[in-house]
Amino acid sequence: MPTPSMEDHIEQIYLLIDQKGYARVSDIAEALSVLPSSVTKMVQKLDKDGYLIYERYRGLTLTPKGLKLGERLVKRHSLLEQFLRLIGVDEERIYNDVEGIEHHLSWNSIECIADLIQVLEENPEFIHKLEELKEPHPHPSE
Ligand SMILES: [Mn+2]
C-alpha cells in the first residue's frame, strides 16, 4: 500500500508527464512544496517499489504499475473536487480540502461518492435544495 506521500508524488508525476511530457525533480518539489532532496529520496523509493524508473540525468518514467496508479489517483482527485463543487463548497477551498481527504478514503467510499454524484447530476432538484439551504451563510471565522 502506497503511503499518502507516495500517492502525492505519483499523482504529481503523472500530471506533469501528462501536461509537459516529462517530470523533473524540481517541478515535483515545487508542486508539492517540499525540498528537491526529499523528492529525490522518494523517487528512489518509488523506483525500488516498481512505480517508476529514475535515471539521474535522463529523468523519470512511470512503469505500467505507476501509470495505472497515477491515473487512478488523478481520477480520484477530480472526482472528489467534482463532489465538493456539486454540494456547494466554496471554490477556493476545494483544492486544499481534496488534498486533505483524498488519501484517507477507501476505494469503497470513493465508489459510493461516485454513485452519489451520478444521482445528484440526474436529479438537479437535490442540488437546488442544497443551494436554498445556503442562502445567507456566513462562515465561522477561521
Ligand atoms: Mn491530489
Side-chain angles (χ1 to χ4, degrees), residues 12-70:
Q12 277 313 319
I13 291 164
Y14 184 92
L15 283 174
L16 283 165
I17 291 175
D18 194 46
Q19 289 158 8
K20 305 172 71 167
Y22 56 87
R24 289 186 308 206
V25 165
S26 55
D27 294 330
I28 302 163
E30 196 189 318
L32 295 175
S33 309
V34 295
L35 291 172
S37 57
S38 84
V39 172
T40 301
K41 228 188 252 170
M42 176 57 85
V43 158
Q44 285 163 347
K45 176 172 171 43
L46 292 172
D47 181 312
K48 202 173 121 254
D49 289 357
Y51 291 103
L52 53 80
I53 296 163
Y54 177 52
E55 291 167 291
R56 192 171 281 264
Y57 298 103
R58 299 187 58 195
L60 39 97
T61 26
L62 290 167
T63 62
K65 176 181 169 181
L67 272 174
K68 193 172 155 214
L69 180 60

Side-chain angles (χ1 to χ4, degrees), residues 4 27 31 36 45 52 54 56 60 63 70 72 76 89 95-96 115 123 125 130 137:
D27 294 330
K45 176 172 171 43
L52 53 80
Y54 177 52
R56 192 171 281 264
L60 39 97
T63 62
R72 255 186 130 189
R76 180 180 67 183
V89 175
Y95 183 84
N96 279 338
D115 292 343
N123 300 275
E125 65 271 22
L130 282 173
H137 187 256

